[in-house]
Amino acid sequence: MGVDILVIGAAGRLGRAVTQAFERMAPDFTLAASKHEALDASDSAAVEALCKQLHPKIVINAAAYTDVAKAEALRRSPKGLHEVMAANAVVPGVLAKAAAAVDASLIHFSTDYVFSGGGLGHRSESDKAKPHGVYGRSKRIGELAVLRVSRSMPAFRHLIFRVGWLHGAPGDFVSKVLDAALAGRLRCMRSNQWGRPTSYESTAELAVYSALGLLGCGQPQLANGVYHYAESGPVISRFRLAVLILHKAAEQLSQVQAPETADAVERLLSAARMLKGICVTDRARPSNCRLNCGKLASTGLINCFSWDYYVDKSVENFLQSRFDGILLNEL
């Protein structure tokens, strides 16, 4: 007997969020979670055997090499570049073929970094993808691998979701900003990169809703193809987002009367006052991360809170973790 959902990369930040979302929102589904490293999934024979064994109805690929800076540093290292490409470029095609062979659908996550350059327009799915950095190129090759399988096997069902600026787990942008500020190390932030922060939580819920649609379980069924997803709200720069995070954290901590938190509040507010916005030219990270999400919004599949709500949650979770045992019943 097969399983309903197979999650690849379940040990990663997005994979954990997807697994938790299914357990919370669709507990009657049978779920198999592969926690192996993304590179292992490039073994086509092993992936095919796994799919034949479990016979999933839907395969969700949440595995990826996401360290943008390290990926760029490895572009002249054949071994390192192979690791990046195996995870981001090879695995999606392997999974697509294995899923198609057992008549399963594939939900694959990609990135806004498949685009390059600047400008002020919102990128739509029909815009030409032309990434400059290693990470973006590897993810674009992965997209094309899935689309090639679709062209050769027209009955293969697939959804590719481009997302960016993900947060809501340890090591994310929110955590890095607050860690640096509390340690007195936050000095500057890029002011010429624009986008909308999006949480792992709502992205994982998108996976659940789209899976329900594919299985005919009361949600709209999306047509095959690429979709852009970002939470609603205004576009913001990295610099302004960092300042907002610092003020949100200071406001939440100021509600608690404790010596430890009073010092932290002052550190956060001081960091917000002193933070400088700088313009950076970075081939690996495009300045324009604005995504036009109208195609997905028109389906009515998901209607989440604004990104401001989820940033609040990420700040609160960081503070709960950092000050656990001191505060935080009051937050």
Side-chain angles (χ1 to χ4, degrees):
M1 184 176 179
V3 301
D4 293 312
I5 309 294
L6 170 61
V7 180
I8 303 297
R13 284 178 271 189
L14 179 56
R16 285 195 297 269
V18 168
T19 301
Q20 291 165 1
F22 272 101
E23 292 170 348
R24 183 178 71 254
M25 299 168 63
D28 293 336
F29 280 20
T30 53
L31 186 74
S34 173
K35 298 183 179 181
H36 296 298
E37 294 293 333
L39 184 59
D40 295 340
S42 64
D43 183 343
S44 58
V47 171
E48 289 173 6
L50 182 64
C51 285
K52 288 179 180 178
Q53 175 193 350
L54 298 175
H55 214 284
K57 296 176 182 176
I58 296 176
V59 177
I60 299 177
N61 182 28
Y65 190 109
T66 58
D67 190 329
V68 178
K70 188 175 180 181
E72 197 65 21
L74 292 172
R75 60 194 173 96
R76 291 189 173 89
S77 165
K79 182 179 179 180
L81 187 60
H82 172 76
E83 182 180 353
V84 178
M85 289 298 175
N88 293 348
V90 177
V91 166
V94 169
L95 291 175
K97 291 177 183 177
V102 296
D103 196 29
S105 303
L106 175 68
I107 298 174
H108 172 65
F109 288 97
S110 189
T111 175
D112 53 344
Y113 280 20
V114 298
F115 298 108
S116 62
L120 301 177
H122 286 67
R123 309 286 195 179
S124 67
E125 292 85 351
S126 60
D127 288 342
K128 185 176 181 179
K130 191 179 179 182
H132 287 164
V134 170
Y135 170 71
R137 290 203 306 273
S138 68
K139 293 295 287 183
R140 177 55 178 163
I141 294 170
E143 290 182 357
L144 294 174
V146 174
L147 296 174
R148 278 197 300 272
V149 174
S150 177
R151 286 194 296 271
S152 64
M153 305 181 73
F156 171 54
R157 292 157 298 172
H158 65 281
L159 302 173
I160 299 172
F161 293 118
R162 289 175 179 156
V163 295
W165 291 33
L166 291 176
H167 67 92
D172 66 357
F173 182 75
V174 173
S175 302
K176 289 177 179 177
V177 166
L178 294 177
D179 270 329
L182 291 172
R185 293 183 284 101
L186 191 63
R187 298 287 183 267
C188 58
M189 186 62 60
R190 186 175 180 180
S191 60
N192 65 332
Q193 188 186 43
W194 297 81
R196 282 182 286 171
T198 298
S199 67
Y200 288 107
E201 180 181 343
S202 74
T203 304
E205 291 176 355
L206 172 63
V208 175
Y209 287 127
S210 58
L212 291 173
L214 289 169
L215 296 174
C217 296
Q219 295 295 329
Q221 183 171 352
L222 299 181
N224 285 349
V226 178
Y227 294 85
H228 290 175
Y229 175 66
E231 289 162 0
S232 61
V235 170
I236 192 170
S237 70
R238 286 285 188 186
F239 168 71
R240 292 298 177 190
L241 179 58
V243 173
L244 180 67
I245 289 166
L246 294 169
H247 282 293
K248 283 179 178 291
E251 181 180 0
Q252 290 187 28
L253 277 182
S254 66
Q255 300 172 26
V256 181
Q257 302 300 318
E260 296 89 340
T261 58
D263 177 68
V265 168
E266 180 52 40
R267 285 175 177 267
L268 293 167
L269 292 176
S270 176
R273 289 192 299 268
M274 301 299 292
L275 189 64
K276 293 183 178 180
I278 59 172
C279 291
V280 175
T281 301
D282 187 343
R283 59 178 283 122
R285 297 176 176 86
S287 59
N288 184 8
C289 298
R290 302 170 176 91
L291 293 179
N292 182 335
C293 303
K295 178 181 174 182
L296 182 61
S298 68
T299 68
L301 181 71
I302 186 168
N303 183 22
C304 65
F305 296 107
S306 74
W307 61 255
D308 190 69
Y309 167 83
Y310 290 102
V311 170
D312 267 338
K313 288 188 69 173
S314 290
V315 170
E316 180 177 335
N317 289 338
F318 173 88
L319 297 177
Q320 290 280 7
S321 175
R322 172 59 71 91
F323 295 96
D324 182 35
I326 300 175
L327 28 150
L328 283 172
N329 293 326
E330 299 181 41
L331 287 185

